[in-house]
Amino acid sequence: MHELSIALKLVELACEHASSCQEMEVAAVHIAVGALSHIHAPSLLSGFAIAREGTLVSQAELIIRQIPLVLGCTDCDRDFESSGIQDLRCPICCGYSTLIRHGNELDLEFLSLRPRRDENTSIGSVSSPARI
Amino acid sequence: MQEPRILQVRTQILKKNDELARSMRVRFLQAGVFVSNWVSSPGSGKTTLLQATLTHLRNKGERVAAIVGDLETDNDARRLAQSGAPVRQIMTHGCCHLEANMVEEQLHDWSLPDLDYLFVENVGNLVCPTSWDLGESLRVALLSVTEGEDKPLKYPGLFNTSDVALLTKIDLSGPCEFDRDRALENIQRVRPGIPVFELSAKSGAGLDRWFQFLISQRSATMG
């Protein structure tokens, strides 16, 4: 599954940034996942639990902020949130002149750091799609 | 309790792959080699169509090469090599998709300025290749009539991230009771405006239009 590949790259990137932290450990890795990134969040959580072992982020939770697909119709000059990713037509004019405003994100946004403590077994969570 | 400290990162997770892919794209353009990345499910006819494409272009005097990705075996590379073009096989031994560094490793002793076209046949997989930029100028999605007209809706990512869609094995449309109109509509729904070519590598139907498109795409890209 490619979520494991993604998780490995995420852990690698997070560790690069965490390496400069001295007395702190990474409590959480916060990422943004757009609807069009085609990432299955539960699989990514599972992959992260595997990928984080033995690394600088081994104690970290993965916090996923889901971003909905927002399209803009260049004919109607309006933006709209799409309910799914299967139909990229404008819901108003049914035309195909749409652009993707949000939804392609697959970003490491920030790391939450805390003083080092005992082992934490929590994997993480997924938040509801953010309203833009 | 001490407040957690926040370390801002704001970086794309696949940044390394994307940066490498971008540098490869520049390298390809500077060398004048037009690179395409072929994605589809296993069994869509990628290799057979690629073989016909390599043969046609070679007969026109174009300098072509191919890189093929599979989990195991070099069967596809052997088939494609019958065209006379240089072909390399990537055996991923379990990885379900190609990444930019895998392709780059295959280029080490090829003189890119001596190539006009480089074809990358991705691992047969409708899901995972979507996220990985390989530095291509054209991403080609293949859908065979044997897979059904619903496939684009079931796997929107593959089509949504592609630049052209090929409907393959059209000579089998009748026996498969393939709903052509529905399939074309579904492809447009998930990727508005994508050009679509209907063809059969076996019968030869539609191949000329596909070859002309490919040649025109190279011209447009190289300027």
Side-chain angles (χ1 to χ4, degrees):
Chain A
M1 277 301 298
H2 78 303
E3 276 80 3
L4 180 56
S5 296
I6 306 282
L8 288 167
K9 297 290 189 268
L10 171 58
V11 166
E12 184 185 329
L13 184 61
C15 288
E16 274 177 23
H17 288 272
S19 61
S20 59
C21 306
Q22 302 294 332
E23 297 303 315
M24 311 283 274
E25 67 177 10
V26 181
V29 175
H30 295 254
I31 69 173
V33 177
L36 272 187
S37 65
H38 313 293
I39 298 296
H40 184 239
S43 295
L44 186 57
L45 284 172
S46 299
F48 183 78
I50 297 167
R52 71 179 182 175
E53 291 198 7
T55 72
L56 281 179
V57 296
S58 63
Q59 304 300 305
E61 290 184 271
L62 178 61
I63 311 293
I64 302 175
R65 181 170 74 92
Q66 294 188 310
I67 299 177
L69 174 61
V70 176
L71 299 171
C73 178
T74 55
D75 289 341
C76 297
D77 195 24
R78 285 179 63 172
D79 288 357
F80 56 94
E81 186 174 312
S82 181
S83 58
I85 61 171
Q86 291 179 333
D87 199 332
L88 301 192
R89 293 175 297 184
C90 174
I92 300 158
C93 70
C94 297
Y96 290 121
S97 302
T98 54
L99 302 172
I100 298 166
R101 304 276 192 226
H102 297 281
N104 272 328
E105 296 83 353
L106 183 58
D107 302 333
L108 170 53
E109 296 194 298
F110 60 92
L111 306 177
S112 294
L113 307 176
R114 67 179 173 221
R116 295 187 183 280
R117 65 177 200 193
D118 292 335
E119 189 170 318
N120 171 32
T121 56
S122 173
I123 297 173
S125 65
V126 182
S127 70
S128 304
R131 296 287 161 194
I132 297 171
Chain B
M1 190 175 99
Q2 188 175 350
E3 284 293 312
R5 209 183 95 198
I6 301 297
L7 180 64
Q8 292 287 349
V9 178
R10 295 201 194 108
T11 303
Q12 290 175 312
I13 292 171
L14 299 184
K15 177 187 171 193
K16 280 193 176 154
N17 184 86
D18 290 348
E19 282 180 345
L20 175 59
R22 271 198 291 273
S23 73
M24 286 163 65
R25 189 172 290 109
V26 168
R27 191 178 152 197
F28 292 141
L29 290 174
Q30 285 174 347
V33 56
F34 184 72
V35 181
S36 53
N37 172 13
W38 293 38
V39 294
S40 79
S41 66
S44 67
K46 282 197 300 299
T47 308
T48 305
L49 179 60
L50 190 43
Q51 195 170 4
T53 304
L54 287 170
T55 301
H56 176 82
L57 290 173
R58 272 179 60 83
N59 289 343
K60 287 178 72 70
E62 302 285 353
R63 301 167 301 173
V64 300
I67 296 173
V68 186
D70 283 296
L71 267 67
E72 302 293 342
T73 84
D74 63 353
N75 294 349
D76 283 352
R78 287 173 187 275
R79 284 189 193 98
L80 293 178
Q82 291 172 9
S83 65
V87 182
R88 290 199 171 142
Q89 177 82 53
I90 299 174
M91 272 186 271
T92 69
H93 303 302
C95 188
C96 49
H97 58 274
L98 293 181
E99 300 179 16
N101 62 306
M102 297 176 187
V103 174
E104 198 206 23
E105 282 163 14
Q106 298 298 323
L107 304 175
H108 60 97
D109 60 353
W110 268 349
S111 173
L112 293 180
D114 293 337
L115 290 177
D116 300 311
Y117 295 85
L118 174 60
F119 297 92
V120 180
E121 186 187 328
N122 216 312
V123 177
N125 183 332
L126 281 169
V127 182
C128 312
T130 59
S131 306
W132 304 89
D133 184 355
L134 303 183
E136 72 268 25
S137 291
L138 187 77
R139 185 172 288 191
V140 184
L142 289 86
L143 169 70
S144 69
V145 301
T146 56
E147 296 173 69
E149 53 277 346
D150 280 350
K151 237 12 182 310
L153 300 182
K154 292 181 180 177
Y155 299 90
L158 194 87
F159 297 89
N160 179 258
T161 53
S162 294
D163 302 304
V164 59
L166 305 183
L167 205 50
T168 63
K169 306 188 184 181
I170 59 172
D171 53 305
L172 299 177
S173 298
C176 295
E177 295 182 335
F178 183 70
D179 189 339
R180 173 185 176 268
D181 290 343
R182 180 72 59 86
L184 295 177
E185 184 194 333
N186 288 343
I187 291 171
Q188 290 301 317
R189 279 169 69 178
V190 300
R191 176 60 167 89
I194 189 172
V196 182
F197 294 89
E198 300 165 71
L199 43 82
S200 166
K202 198 161 183 115
S203 71
L207 290 186
D208 282 343
R209 286 186 65 237
W210 158 240
F211 297 149
Q212 281 163 23
F213 173 81
L214 198 54
I215 292 166
S216 70
Q217 284 295 298
R218 181 176 183 279
S219 298
T221 302
M222 298 304 161

